[in-house]
């Protein structure tokens, strides 16, 4: 963010790190244009193929920067990794942790990594966390296992089991516990659908 | 150094059709900015989507080319963040009165001190001339397979009903008159609306330049007979002079009745003006006393490339 601008200013200037110094509306000499179409370095609308390529390359190079800038624990939170490890995101976290501690009392260890950054996907980090895991269980509150698809797309590894709930009700620790137990006992379907709640 | 008209032009290639009415509006807007001597970095032109959307790229001030139907939301945000800035929003009638009609009405209720100009040509010119909201029921422009099945929106009437405090109409081939209207609109204290009749030479073969000039009428009466006339020439008084219900009602009703004139006689000029209704900034200042001295645009949001806002305490308080 610029506090002042001297000389010619280009809001979308090509830079080494892919980030251009930012003016704001009303700043002296900081005039720029915005558009929803492709733009040149000033921000003016353009359909020039060469500018398009440079702008897209610049834009997309920031994904690498994002992965470097965001702290690891903001990307993925690991609650332990075992032979059986859960991946999940969002509101399922609480009941998953409760179900894991119920199983632990019975001497069954299940790991859990909570994936917080979906795009850019922290592929290298997730891969390194799960390198010794044998069975990956995706727990999600939707029909299609959305995180599982993104996981497979980025890691090139299959999800072994899905535990899904899409009734509009929150997951309970007991139903997660039941499904995990079936998985450990090798009695589960590849796709376990939860239904607790009236 | 005083700014010249040329200082408000950019070098961006203009790909509007030859004879497009949009040229007159851009010229009038540049002339108005130059005449008012508004510093280039103290004005922002917001534009919507459509042929008119490129307007912001042709004017050498800050320019924000936004989303279809959403130009007023961006423009109001810009003005709220930076109350010292001159804000002009522009867009087509399809953009502002079709998909954007909800925002149009909401903006009227707020009365933020800025100007909105609609390029009104009755067709969606950029997408090959479909019927847009101001095309009349039963009219069949060039690219329609059959006559229009929808009734038209009355932009002046809608603006008056929604609470716009300055409502006027211009004609894009009367550039000087339009320039004067833009100046009045920008100087108006509150939200001003300008409906600019703007012939689309490519797709609207009904409301053409010749039609507005009354060429067909002249053929009948053997004399030049423009359809367009100026309200000021008829001593029409659009101004609400004092804070009284009957005065306001009278000025609102006469504006609405005038807005219904169409066909042989089409009025341009100021239909309605009311500076008694409070501006949104005054309503905000009642709640945030230092709003005008410390608006969002003057507040620091980052330091060394990182945001200064720290939400970690809030997040920690939510940790379980």
């Amino acid at each position: 963010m610029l506090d002042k601008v001297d000389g010619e200013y280009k809001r979308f200037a090509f830079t080494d790190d892919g980030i251009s110094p930012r003016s704001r509306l009303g700043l002296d000499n900081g005039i720029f244009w915005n558009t929803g179409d492709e733009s040149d370095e000033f921000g003016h609308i353009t359909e020039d193929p060469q500018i398009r390529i440079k702008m897209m390359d610049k834009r997309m190079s920031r994904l690498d920067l994002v992965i470097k800038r965001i702290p690891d624990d903001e990307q993925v939170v690991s609650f332990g990794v075992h032979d059986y490890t859960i991946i999940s995101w969002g509101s399922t976290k609480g009941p998953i942790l409760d179900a894991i501690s119920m199983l632990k009392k019975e001497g069954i260890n299940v790991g859990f990594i909570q994936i917080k950054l979906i795009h850019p996907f922290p592929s290298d980090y997730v891969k390194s966390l799960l390198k010794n895991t044998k069975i990956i269980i995706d727990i999600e509150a939707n029909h299609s296992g959305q995180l599982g698809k993104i996981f497979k797309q980025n890691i090139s590894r299959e999800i072994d089991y899905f535990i899904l709930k899409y009734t509009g009700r929150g997951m309970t620790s007991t139903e997660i516990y039941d499904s995990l137990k079936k998985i450990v006992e090798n009695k589960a379907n590849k796709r376990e659908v939860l239904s607790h709640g009236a | 150094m005083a700014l010249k008209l040329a200082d408000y032009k950019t070098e961006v290639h203009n790909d509007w059709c030859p004879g497009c009415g949009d040229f007159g509006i851009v010229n009038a807007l540049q002339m108005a900015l130059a005449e008012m001597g508004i510093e280039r970095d103290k004005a922002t032109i917001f534009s919507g989507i459509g042929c008119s959307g490129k307007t912001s790229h042709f004017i050498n001030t800050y320019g924000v080319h936004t989303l279809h139907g959403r130009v007023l939301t961006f423009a109001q945000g810009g003005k709220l963040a930076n109350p010292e800035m001159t804000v002009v929003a522009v867009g087509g009638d399809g953009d502002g009165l079709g998909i954007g009609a909800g925002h149009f009405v909401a903006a009227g209720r707020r009365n933020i001190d800025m100007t909105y100009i609609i390029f009104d040509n009755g067709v969606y010119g950029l997408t090959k001339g479909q019927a847009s909201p101001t095309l009349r029921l039963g009219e069949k422009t060039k690219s329609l397979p059959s006559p229009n099945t929808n009734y038209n929106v009355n932009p002046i009437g809608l603006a008056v009903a929604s609470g716009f405090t300055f409502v006027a109409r211009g004609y894009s081939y009367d550039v000087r008159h339009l320039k004067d209207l833009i100046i009045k609109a920008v100087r108006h204290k509150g939200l001003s609306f300008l409906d600019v009749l703007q012939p689309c030479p490519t797709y609207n073969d009904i409301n053409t330049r010749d039609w507005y000039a009354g060429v067909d009428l002249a053929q009948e009466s053997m004399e030049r007979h423009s359809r367009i006339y100026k309200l000021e020439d008829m001593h029409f008084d659009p101004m609400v002079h004092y804070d009284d219900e009957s005065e306001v009602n009278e000025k609102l009703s006469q504006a609405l009745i005038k807005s219904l004139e169409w066909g042989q006689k089409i009025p341009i000029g100021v239909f309605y003006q009311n500076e008694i209704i409070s501006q949104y900034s005054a309503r905000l200042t009642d709640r945030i006393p230092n709003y005008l001295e410390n608006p969002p645009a003057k507040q620091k949001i980052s330091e060394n490339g990182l945001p200064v806002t720290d939400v970690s305490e809030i997040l920690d308080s939510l940790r379980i």
Side-chain angles (χ1 to χ4, degrees):
Chain A
M1 184 65 83
L2 294 165
D3 292 322
K4 64 190 202 71
V5 176
D6 299 313
E8 186 187 61
Y9 175 67
K10 291 177 174 174
R11 170 66 186 87
F12 302 98
F14 295 118
T15 55
D16 290 340
D17 63 359
I19 293 176
S20 317
R22 180 177 170 193
S23 169
R24 55 177 169 76
L25 299 180
L27 190 66
D28 294 347
N29 306 315
I31 288 177
F32 62 82
W33 291 267
N34 282 149
T35 175
D37 297 276
E38 190 53 275
S39 71
D40 62 16
E41 288 178 279
F42 293 101
H44 279 310
I45 189 166
T46 180
E47 291 179 6
D48 182 309
Q50 297 310 319
I51 294 179
R52 168 70 179 167
I53 291 169
K54 285 183 80 174
M55 280 294 171
M56 277 308 282
D57 289 349
K58 174 193 177 208
R59 210 167 273 140
M60 293 306 154
S61 74
R62 290 187 212 136
L63 291 176
D64 300 330
L65 198 65
V66 166
I67 281 279
K68 281 184 206 138
R69 284 270 187 99
I70 297 176
D72 281 355
D73 62 353
E74 293 290 332
Q75 300 184 12
V76 182
V77 181
S78 173
F79 295 92
V81 174
H82 296 282
D83 284 356
Y84 291 85
T85 298
I86 296 162
I87 66 165
S88 190
W89 63 278
S91 63
T92 53
K93 174 188 160 189
I96 288 174
L97 291 175
D98 288 349
I100 287 174
S101 59
M102 287 159 73
L103 287 163
K104 195 164 184 162
K105 282 181 194 148
E106 299 174 19
I108 303 169
N109 285 320
V110 175
F112 171 35
I113 63 168
Q114 181 199 7
I115 298 180
K116 295 173 103 174
L117 182 65
I118 303 295
H119 184 72
F121 195 81
S123 306
D124 292 341
Y125 187 35
V126 170
K127 217 184 269 180
S128 71
L129 282 170
L130 296 179
K131 65 175 185 291
N132 294 322
T133 288
K134 296 192 173 71
I135 302 290
I136 295 171
I137 305 155
D138 177 26
I139 302 186
E140 292 191 65
N142 61 64
H143 181 273
S144 58
Q146 295 159 4
L147 175 65
K149 286 183 177 171
I150 292 168
F151 177 91
K152 188 180 168 188
Q153 192 182 330
N154 285 280
I155 312 267
S156 302
R157 187 171 165 183
E158 290 289 337
I159 301 288
D160 298 285
Y161 292 97
F162 291 93
I163 301 176
L164 305 172
K165 187 168 188 178
Y166 38 91
T167 58
R169 276 80 168 173
M171 288 190 192
T172 64
S173 51
T174 48
E175 61 184 343
I176 295 175
Y177 165 87
D178 290 344
S179 296
L180 289 173
K181 187 118 192 220
K182 275 162 77 184
I183 290 169
V184 174
E185 290 168 352
N186 206 16
K187 288 178 189 160
N189 298 312
K190 182 165 171 91
R191 185 183 160 92
E192 289 284 313
V193 177
L194 308 183
S195 61
H196 274 194
Chain B
M1 194 178 70
L3 288 159
K4 300 184 297 292
L5 179 57
D7 296 325
Y8 294 93
K9 297 180 190 285
T10 64
E11 288 169 8
V12 176
H13 170 70
N14 192 320
D15 55 3
W16 287 336
C17 306
C20 177
D22 289 357
F23 287 104
I25 306 176
V26 170
N27 289 341
L29 190 46
Q30 288 163 334
M31 285 160 66
L33 290 166
E35 190 170 320
M36 289 184 283
I38 292 172
E39 292 292 326
R40 296 192 304 108
D41 46 21
K42 300 299 164 220
T44 306
I45 311 297
F46 291 83
S47 59
I49 293 294
C51 294
S52 59
K54 287 195 176 173
T55 300
S56 52
H57 295 285
F58 302 139
I59 298 181
N60 199 357
T61 62
Y62 279 97
V64 183
H65 183 183
T66 69
L67 305 176
H68 194 47
R70 310 286 176 250
V71 64
L72 281 174
T73 60
F74 286 89
Q76 290 174 96
K79 181 69 183 185
L80 286 176
N82 192 347
E84 289 171 4
M85 194 165 62
T86 298
V87 170
V88 178
V90 302
D93 62 292
D95 180 298
L97 300 168
I99 188 173
H103 297 304
F104 186 91
V105 173
R109 295 167 55 209
R110 288 194 192 99
N111 196 33
I112 293 172
D113 185 19
M114 51 170 268
T115 297
Y116 181 36
I117 303 176
I118 280 191
F119 295 32
D120 182 356
N121 61 12
V123 291
Y124 286 94
L126 190 74
T127 55
K128 308 274 179 277
Q130 297 86 348
S132 70
T134 58
L135 191 70
R136 277 153 203 264
L137 175 64
E139 287 189 336
K140 183 180 168 313
T141 45
K142 208 163 160 184
S143 60
L144 297 185
S146 54
N148 186 19
T149 51
N150 292 325
Y151 196 79
N152 66 295
V153 171
N154 171 355
I156 300 283
L158 187 62
V160 163
S162 306
F164 282 71
T165 49
F166 177 102
V167 180
R169 183 193 279 147
Y171 179 52
S172 69
Y173 283 112
D174 192 342
V175 177
R176 278 188 190 285
H177 181 257
L178 181 55
K179 179 260 295 174
D180 290 341
L181 274 183
I182 293 172
I183 291 175
K184 278 185 198 155
V186 170
R187 289 191 172 147
H188 169 73
K189 292 179 174 52
L191 180 62
S192 49
F193 171 60
L194 260 174
D195 175 37
V196 183
L197 304 173
Q198 171 258 310
C200 173
T202 305
Y203 292 111
N204 190 333
D205 52 357
I206 296 172
N207 311 116
T208 61
R209 186 177 185 165
D210 281 351
W211 183 82
Y212 282 114
V215 169
D216 55 322
L217 302 178
Q219 280 160 359
E220 290 162 20
S221 64
M222 301 300 287
E223 62 185 87
R224 190 159 176 78
H225 189 94
S226 174
R227 283 189 158 80
I228 289 180
Y229 75 94
K230 297 186 173 106
L231 287 169
E232 51 268 38
D233 293 345
M234 313 304 285
H235 307 290
F236 182 87
D237 179 13
M239 183 67 93
V240 174
H241 293 285
Y242 44 93
D243 192 5
D244 174 81
E245 200 179 320
S246 64
E247 163 77 355
V248 174
N249 289 351
E250 188 198 318
K251 296 293 158 66
L252 281 172
S253 345
Q254 68 164 12
L256 187 60
I257 288 165
K258 269 289 163 204
S259 75
L260 298 169
E261 269 183 37
W262 189 260
Q264 305 291 77
K265 288 292 224 177
I266 300 171
I268 62 172
V270 183
F271 284 68
Y272 176 75
Q273 187 169 10
N274 183 343
E275 287 195 332
I276 295 165
I277 291 178
S278 65
Q279 292 179 48
Y280 199 72
S281 57
R283 301 175 205 170
L284 271 185
T285 313
D286 284 346
R287 278 195 204 176
I288 311 166
N290 71 341
Y291 163 62
L292 290 174
E293 295 84 61
N294 190 34
K298 288 190 179 168
Q299 295 171 22
K300 202 175 182 64
I301 63 165
S302 74
E303 206 162 337
N304 303 322
L306 293 170
V308 291
T309 310
D310 185 1
V311 293
S312 55
E313 257 181 56
I314 299 170
L315 291 178
D316 284 344
S317 74
L318 295 170
R319 210 173 279 276
I320 49 168

